[in-house]
Amino acid sequence: MMEKMIFGRYIPADSIAHRMDPRAKLIFVFAFIAIIFIADDVWGYLIAAVFTYASIKLSGLSLRFLISGLKPVMILIAFTFLLQLFFAREGNIVLELGFIKIYEEGIRQAFFISMRFTLLVFMTSLLTLTTTPISITDGLESLLNPLKKIKFPAHELALMMSIALRFIPTLMDETDKIMKAQMARGSDMSSGPLKDRVKAIVPLMIPLFVNAFKRAEDLATAMEVRGYRGGEGRTKYRLLVWQARDTLALLSLIILAGALTAFRFWI
Amino acid sequence: MDILLEQVEYRYAANSPFEKKAVEEVSFKIPEGQCTAIIGHTGSGKSTLLLHLNALLKPTSGSVKIGDRTVKSGRKEKDLKPIREKVGIVFQFPEQQLFEETVMKDICYGPMNFGVSEKEAKKRAAYWLKEVGMPEDVLEKSPFDLSGGQMRRVAIAGVLAMEPEVLVLDEPTAGLDPRGRREMMEMFYRLHKERGITLVLVTHSMEDAARYADKVVVMHKGRKVHEAPPRELFSDAERLSEWGLGIPEVVKFQRMLEAKSGKTFPKVCLTMDELAEMLKQGGGLS
Ligand SMILES: Nc1ncnc2c1ncn2[C@@H]1O[C@H](COP(=O)(O)OP(=O)(O)O)[C@@H](O)[C@H]1O
Ligand SMILES: [Mg+2]
């Protein structure tokens, strides 16, 4: 299941979304997250959905690929949908089956919340799917740069983030490997009483931590011997170039925000 | 207990955009009591194949028959513990699997998971620690205070203490010094000869394959491309180099000697001893 997840992965390709400036993409996604909360009726969500669909098209990825890759998240969304459906208690009763009562407001809430959740997951996935972790970090550092004046450790934060991102796949592989090694020694993590299953986690976690600390130490040493001294006076190999399409992307967001506001308050 | 692989195919992340075929159409037999070596370039699917030998992976198509159990694609398997008890795997860099406070506890972990009593497990721990060439006073130490080579030995003792019928070794000597390498391989070979343990050895050392194996299976790009006794395999250097593999130094030396002297020996010698013996008998090389 884990190896199929595309959440947080990068898919190399050549599309408009791939070529965008990471700074623009970061602003785009964060602004989208804020803007989506303006929508509060069917029309608003419809517009947001069309907007998201257009963004997906511009990233060169297929909708089907996204849906199949985000299946575990979709299950979570479906679960939220059902929770809302059964537990919201406002408005008229639409359906009554024994002790289950479904209210008008429940349907509304369930639909809107899961819709909002889905669009957010799609958009944030688009960011990571079309941007290498290193570009995301570069973009973030550049956006946070003005904060350096008030002693905000922008470079250090970006470095920590890029190291963390770099080691996530390594850690996943390692978890898989150690799990198999302990299973070969008769550990059983998938059956038996809960107490035993919890116990079976210890032989997995300890080697994982030991290795992670060892690796962190090696990395620190390797950086030190190569004369790493923080962000002071450091130049970049990859330069970020803001282009017309980046401005256009942000403009489209303003239009979206305008449209959603219009639908909410006047139409 | 024989292990029989039939048309085994394994795809990582099957049916997803990241699907990766690691092994395909692999069939061979691992006969009881023999030493089978698996060689091949890095990424040729050796480790993936090994994981099928005790049902840690289920083939995405084909089947693996382990003793009287058959693990097949598309069938839910229950209670795999008896398989794992009989087939012990020493993974590449097994020192990464150590986790207990003391060496003793760590070695006991495997056997006790398979229902061996604590008393018996402790007895086994002491015994197998000695077998892998470690002093007894290490038993009460933390495994994390040992050197890399010593940790490797302790981890191997942890698998041996399960007393499996089939011992699967994935590059067990990678990263050890030459002497440690030799000692380790000699120990496995002794266990194989004395106790009749079936050995499956994945190795990058053509020397080890030549010296210890009854049969060598060659993997290349996920497929089995050859299967032969070492003497037959190493007599054809050209084919081996097609798969990115070489021949043992002894064989290279013999070939060079033959080229320079214009004589041909009746057989390919797999070890230094064999070659020395041949030279002594054949004599007359001038
Ligand atoms: N957990 C995994 N997920 C995806 N692909 C893998 C995984 N493990 C191995 N592979 C791929 O399968 C192929 C065979 O790998 P492996 O069995 O480790 O080969 P070997 O042991 O011969 O070096 C390689 O191409 C490798 O990249
Ligand atoms: Mg391997």
Side-chain angles (χ1 to χ4, degrees), chain B:
Chain B
M1 189 177 74
D2 295 339
I3 299 180
L4 196 67
L5 295 105
E6 266 178 285
Q7 293 294 315
V8 172
E9 176 204 82
Y10 190 79
R11 286 173 284 149
Y12 282 103
N15 307 320
S16 85
F18 304 101
E19 179 168 306
K20 164 104 193 122
K21 205 182 262 179
V23 164
E24 59 186 317
E25 288 178 23
V26 173
S27 309
F28 64 92
K29 182 175 169 181
I30 296 168
E32 176 170 334
Q34 288 200 7
C35 174
T36 306
I38 302 177
I39 61 174
H41 208 267
T42 306
S44 58
K46 306 181 297 292
S47 298
T48 307
L49 202 58
L50 289 193
L51 291 172
H52 288 86
L53 302 183
N54 71 351
L56 282 170
L57 288 185
K58 201 168 63 172
T60 47
S61 105
S63 69
V64 182
K65 191 155 176 276
I66 305 161
D68 48 14
R69 292 277 301 263
T70 304
V71 180
K72 241 189 160 113
S73 63
R75 201 166 65 190
K76 194 114 180 120
E77 287 295 328
K78 272 203 186 144
D79 196 24
L80 296 164
K81 266 193 173 182
I83 297 182
R84 302 202 174 131
E85 188 179 4
K86 284 185 196 139
V87 184
I89 297 195
V90 174
F91 286 90
Q92 212 171 352
F93 304 113
E95 53 274 24
Q96 289 180 355
Q97 73 197 33
L98 300 174
F99 72 98
E100 275 287 12
E101 292 154 65
T102 66
V103 167
M104 165 80 91
K105 280 189 184 169
D106 207 284
I107 301 180
C108 290
Y109 178 71
M112 284 170 67
N113 273 336
F114 292 116
V116 171
S117 71
E118 189 174 343
K119 193 159 155 262
E120 166 70 10
K122 283 187 169 169
K123 226 169 73 193
R124 286 193 192 179
Y127 176 81
W128 287 105
L129 193 72
K130 209 169 86 223
E131 281 288 301
V132 297
M134 295 275 288
E136 203 171 323
D137 63 349
V138 171
L139 273 179
E140 291 309 321
K141 281 193 188 162
S142 158
F144 298 106
D145 288 340
L146 305 175
S147 76
Q150 287 175 321
M151 282 169 84
R152 172 88 49 105
R153 285 167 195 257
V154 169
I156 289 173
V159 176
L160 292 174
M162 290 158 36
E163 308 198 333
E165 290 175 32
V166 179
L167 187 60
V168 179
L169 307 162
D170 194 352
E171 300 182 36
T173 60
L176 292 184
D177 57 82
R179 189 173 141 208
R181 243 168 228 236
R182 190 57 185 262
E183 279 176 12
M184 195 76 84
M185 281 314 302
E186 288 296 333
M187 178 203 64
F188 289 130
Y189 196 59
R190 189 163 45 79
L191 289 176
H192 165 62
K193 284 288 169 209
E194 284 174 3
R195 302 184 163 233
I197 296 181
T198 309
L199 276 191
V200 180
L201 172 68
V202 164
T203 182
H204 277 297
S205 157
M206 297 303 131
E207 272 73 22
D208 286 349
R211 176 185 287 265
Y212 302 114
D214 297 302
K215 175 167 85 177
V216 184
V217 171
V218 184
M219 293 290 295
H220 184 62
K221 293 188 177 161
R223 290 170 182 273
K224 183 192 89 174
V225 287
H226 201 56
E227 177 180 352
R231 209 177 297 281
E232 187 188 317
L233 179 78
F234 291 122
S235 59
D236 193 351
E238 227 163 81
R239 269 182 91 192
L240 278 164
S241 78
E242 268 173 44
W243 302 315
L245 300 168
I247 52 172
E249 289 294 320
V250 209
V251 182
K252 257 185 229 166
F253 176 74
Q254 183 183 339
R255 292 297 191 224
M256 207 182 287
L257 198 62
E258 285 172 345
K260 295 212 166 159
S261 67
K263 287 185 182 173
T264 328
F265 294 113
K267 66 169 185 184
V268 176
C269 299
L270 292 177
T271 61
M272 222 60 108
D273 285 344
E274 262 184 40
L275 186 65
E277 195 59 36
M278 178 92 75
L279 284 175
K280 205 173 95 194
Q281 284 171 8
L285 279 168
S286 49

Side-chain angles (χ1 to χ4, degrees), chain A residues 179-235:
Chain A
M179 204 146 86
K180 291 216 167 80
Q182 307 299 27
M183 273 159 75
R185 292 209 281 167
S187 130
D188 195 348
M189 280 171 235
S190 52
S191 68
L194 188 67
K195 196 173 126 256
D196 291 357
R197 283 200 229 182
V198 173
K199 260 195 189 158
I201 293 178
V202 177
L204 174 65
M205 291 316 278
I206 291 180
L208 219 55
F209 273 102
V210 169
N211 284 349
F213 281 120
K214 223 182 267 167
R215 191 169 296 124
E217 214 174 302
D218 288 349
L219 187 65
T221 313
M223 283 166 73
E224 205 151 324
V225 296
R226 290 200 276 171
Y228 179 76
R229 59 190 158 78
E232 204 83 14
R234 211 177 171 80
T235 53

